[in-house]
Amino acid sequence: MPKPRSAPRLADVALRAGVSIATASRALARREGVSEAVAAHVREVALRMGYVANIHARTLAGGATSTVGLIVHEIGDPYFAEIASGVIGVASQRGFSVQICHSGRDPAGELHQIRTLIAHRTDAIVVAGSGYTEPAMQAESNALLTAFQETGGRVAVIGRHHIAADAVRPDNEAAGAAAAAHLLTLGHRRIGVISGPPVLTTVADRLAGVEKALAAHGLTLDDVPVLPTDFTRNGGHSGAERLLAEHPDLTALIALNDLMAIGVLSVLRARGIAVPQQMSVAGVDDVAVAADLAPSLTTVRLPMTEMGELALTMALKPPSARRRRKNTGHELIVRDSTGPVPPVR
Amino acid sequence: MPKPRSAPRLADVALRAGVSIATASRALARREGVSEAVAAHVREVALRMGYVANIHARTLAGGATSTVGLIVHEIGDPYFAEIASGVIGVASQRGFSVQICHSGRDPAGELHQIRTLIAHRTDAIVVAGSGYTEPAMQAESNALLTAFQETGGRVAVIGRHHIAADAVRPDNEAAGAAAAAHLLTLGHRRIGVISGPPVLTTVADRLAGVEKALAAHGLTLDDVPVLPTDFTRNGGHSGAERLLAEHPDLTALIALNDLMAIGVLSVLRARGIAVPQQMSVAGVDDVAVAADLAPSLTTVRLPMTEMGELALTMALKPPSARRRRKNTGHELIVRDSTGPVPPVR
DNA sequence: ATGAAAGCGCTAACAC
DNA sequence: GTGTTAGCGCTTTCAT
């Protein structure tokens, strides 16, 4: 095993190129103040030596960090993968690296990741996971992030968080309402709601939207079964099984995200319940695969990739006196998983 | 807007705690050489001040970065999202942060990201995108990564790369063979292959597997239509349309990854071609959603999450004299998208 | 057990 | 146009 000699430094390059480190630095940063001939030579030497500037030294010396942090619940979840894709896109276009962490849908995990990101002195932090309905659960995160911002750090959150920072606000309530209204308009009244952990603001808001739509038709959330479960494919799966067993008369199911809707559809298929002839199903998010399910999933589109792009773009702007807030749009996408109420047998 | 005063430094903590920065450093790093009383006091002060050590200074002074880099083609692709999930899991468990970059399936992009990661002096780099069949396309990446390893950096790649480093080798050839053999065993002979960019080793290897399976049945790749297209859902979509138009007698389609298979299924559904009654479809990867498509997708499972875990685990091991190589398993998962050859009309 | 001081590799004044 | 030098905030000898 070769003894780990250290990587070439600026001084090595300068020496080999026969110039001072200042000149070398200028040449490599393509700053002015160096004759083109010398600059080219320095770059050539650096290339040959495989020189890559040490970001830490550069940062410490006052240059920009050029890294941003992104906190998601779990990158394997397509909702977050799409957001991450948007964040990375903007980041790389503007010369930033992105550090991704899992909060694991847990306030303590979130706090831990925030701490890590702050230690890394990232220029900005984007918190993409859902917020929590209970302000206390994010009090420490908020304190940390506030301090971070006071020392020049930038922060943007996606969703409704109890964090004082710029925010991209997905149209969760409207999305939930749109999904429910669609079903109600089709004539459904016996609608089961497969919900997520009530502590998540995303869940609470989407549920509030459903409630609002119900109200427009003279119903309340007490008139329909609401089952809180995991905000995942398997949550949707088990939720559907339970709801179907306890409420055999349902004609429609709303899953509060597409992942759960996928689980719901799998239960229906396994039981031979025809969608949408016997049961309508709607989701929220419009993950990429929603259009390719069979039946294709009726859902409410939230522009995830764009949300990621927007969040980082906001975070990279110079800070404003008051917190910026940007609402996303939403769009009901009617596909094949929803239809009119089946005739009573 | 609050004037960005800078974050508290070690010196600030030391001053407030009434000790030298050396003592403060020791106390915070829980190193020995400080009386427990003083140490506790320092920590207490640091906590109150919201002190978080500057990673850059720490790294520069000789500490480890505790950051690893991960290069994927595109995080929105579930194949890579699942690998990333594995990498992040192991990383966070061992106290590392992970920096994720997009190569964009382009050797130049890959090179650029490698450079970035080296500049960040990450402790390890995991290259997860496919390698290229043309060694020259990765020559520079290899040079950079070799130098990186000589200076103590660790590297692991996933796939067949022309990079001298530890490697996790997905069973691509065997997977391609398994998919094709399955179809051949069912009696299919008019099999269309929807392939990806031939420069990717992943594509070349899977295709080689298909060829091998064909050979076992007395066929060659010249006997079946092979259409190279994008390695994405849309590539699969357009590929299927073209193959169907040009070869109306096909009874089965192999897509060289699941994403393409999803695109294939969507074409078939749109055209009212029954799967598997009129056309069998097989993919490779077994992304999470494959089981929930309708018909559920017959595919060959590659353990993506585990591959990510494995790769980082290898990279974090002390380097060995010779390059380690770890082959993944693969498993044919027969679901509903494949069936016997339809009777000739 | 504690402190003083020498770097780590770079950027940015400031000189020439 | 090019070189000198003083830090950036930390870890780590080496003294005390």
Side-chain angles (χ1 to χ4, degrees), chain B residues 13-281:
Chain B
V13 175
L15 188 66
R16 274 273 250 290
V19 299
S20 72
I21 61 169
T23 299
S25 174
R26 287 190 268 256
L28 293 172
R30 311 193 100 84
R31 250 169 298 144
E32 57 178 13
V34 201
S35 68
E36 195 38 59
V38 176
H41 177 232
V42 171
R43 272 183 237 123
E44 145 76 14
V45 169
L47 193 61
R48 267 215 326 274
M49 297 178 67
Y51 171 77
V52 187
N54 183 325
I55 282 275
H56 304 292
R58 174 172 286 174
T59 302
L60 197 54
T65 336
S66 58
T67 297
V68 301
L70 171 64
I71 301 179
V72 300
H73 281 330
E74 155 66 61
I75 196 69
D77 180 329
Y79 175 82
F80 292 110
E82 291 185 32
I83 287 178
S85 184
V87 170
I88 294 181
V90 169
S92 89
Q93 188 185 305
R94 324 246 307 234
F96 287 84
S97 292
V98 7
Q99 213 162 313
I100 299 189
C101 331
H102 282 176
S103 68
R105 217 161 241 145
D106 165 37
E110 178 181 292
L111 189 63
H112 176 72
Q113 303 306 349
I114 289 174
R115 226 181 263 290
T116 304
L117 259 14
I118 291 181
H120 280 256
R121 295 296 187 275
T122 55
D123 296 303
I125 295 178
V126 174
V127 181
S130 169
Y132 296 86
T133 52
E134 188 53 61
M137 301 187 87
Q138 293 196 292
E140 291 186 76
S141 292
N142 185 42
L144 232 39
L145 254 14
T146 298
F148 177 65
Q149 294 183 85
E150 277 167 359
T151 61
R154 299 285 297 121
V155 177
V157 302
I158 298 178
R160 185 161 65 82
H161 290 256
H162 292 98
I163 288 175
D166 288 349
V168 172
R169 283 292 188 81
D171 246 355
N172 283 321
E173 183 172 331
H182 169 64
L183 255 13
L184 288 160
T185 301
L186 283 170
H188 295 275
R189 289 301 177 271
R190 308 291 311 160
I191 303 174
V193 180
I194 305 195
S195 174
V199 292
L200 301 181
T201 55
T202 302
V203 170
D205 294 349
R206 291 181 182 183
L207 204 53
V210 171
E211 181 169 27
K212 208 175 226 173
L214 287 171
H217 290 256
L219 297 173
T220 75
L221 273 181
D222 292 332
D223 297 321
V224 301
V226 176
L227 185 66
T229 168
D230 265 8
F231 219 31
T232 62
R233 185 263 181 207
N234 285 342
H237 187 94
S238 60
E241 286 195 324
R242 186 148 153 220
L243 229 40
L244 253 26
E246 296 176 0
H247 304 271
D249 59 339
L250 295 176
T251 64
L253 257 17
I254 294 186
L256 257 31
N257 75 15
D258 284 355
L259 227 46
M260 299 180 90
I262 290 173
V264 170
L265 287 176
S266 80
V267 169
L268 264 16
R269 187 170 341 114
R271 299 204 178 184
I273 299 177
V275 177
Q277 294 77 8
Q278 295 173 269
M279 182 76 67
S280 284
V281 177

Side-chain angles (χ1 to χ4, degrees), chain A residues 28-332:
Chain A
L28 294 171
R30 310 192 101 85
R31 252 171 295 144
E32 58 177 13
V34 202
S35 67
E36 195 37 58
V38 176
H41 178 231
V42 170
R43 272 183 236 122
E44 145 76 15
V45 170
L47 194 63
R48 267 214 326 275
M49 297 178 68
Y51 170 77
V52 185
N54 183 326
I55 282 276
H56 304 290
R58 176 172 284 176
T59 301
L60 200 52
T65 327
S66 62
T67 126
V68 301
L70 170 64
I71 301 179
V72 299
H73 281 331
E74 155 67 62
I75 196 69
D77 181 328
Y79 175 83
F80 292 110
E82 291 184 33
I83 287 178
S85 184
V87 170
I88 294 181
V90 170
S92 90
Q93 187 185 305
R94 323 246 307 233
F96 286 83
S97 292
V98 9
Q99 214 162 313
I100 299 188
C101 329
H102 282 176
S103 68
R105 218 162 239 141
D106 165 36
E110 178 181 293
L111 189 63
H112 176 71
Q113 304 305 350
I114 288 175
R115 227 182 263 290
T116 304
L117 259 13
I118 292 181
H120 281 254
R121 295 294 190 277
T122 56
D123 294 302
I125 296 178
V126 174
V127 180
S130 169
Y132 297 85
T133 52
E134 187 53 61
M137 301 187 86
Q138 292 197 294
E140 290 186 76
S141 292
N142 185 42
L144 232 39
L145 254 13
T146 297
F148 177 65
Q149 294 183 85
E150 277 168 359
T151 62
R154 299 285 296 121
V155 177
V157 302
I158 298 179
R160 184 162 66 81
H161 291 256
H162 292 97
I163 287 175
D166 288 349
V168 172
R169 284 292 188 81
D171 245 355
N172 283 321
E173 184 171 330
H182 169 63
L183 256 14
L184 287 160
T185 302
L186 284 171
H188 295 275
R189 290 300 178 270
R190 308 290 312 160
I191 303 173
V193 180
I194 307 199
S195 175
V199 291
L200 301 181
T201 54
T202 301
V203 170
D205 294 348
R206 292 180 182 182
L207 204 51
V210 171
E211 181 169 28
K212 206 176 230 174
L214 288 171
H217 290 256
L219 297 173
T220 75
L221 274 181
D222 292 332
D223 298 320
V224 301
V226 176
L227 186 67
T229 167
D230 265 10
F231 218 32
T232 62
R233 184 263 181 208
N234 286 341
H237 187 92
S238 59
E241 286 194 324
R242 189 151 151 219
L243 229 39
L244 254 25
E246 296 176 358
H247 304 270
D249 59 340
L250 295 176
T251 64
L253 257 18
I254 294 186
L256 257 30
N257 75 15
D258 284 354
L259 227 47
M260 298 179 92
I262 290 173
V264 170
L265 287 176
S266 81
V267 169
L268 264 15
R269 188 169 340 115
R271 299 204 177 183
I273 299 178
V275 177
Q277 293 77 8
Q278 295 172 269
M279 181 77 68
S280 284
V281 177
V284 177
D285 282 347
D286 195 29
V287 297
V289 82
D292 292 317
L293 297 169
S296 58
L297 184 66
T298 291
T299 185
V300 182
R301 169 160 225 293
L302 255 24
M304 280 94 74
T305 304
E306 191 187 317
M307 281 155 50
E309 293 169 349
L310 218 55
L312 184 54
T313 302
M314 280 173 98
L316 257 24
K317 276 208 176 91
S320 74
R322 16 178 247 85
R323 286 144 63 180
R324 278 179 277 251
R325 179 146 308 169
K326 197 115 184 175
N327 291 293
T328 69
H330 70 282
E331 185 187 357
L332 175 70

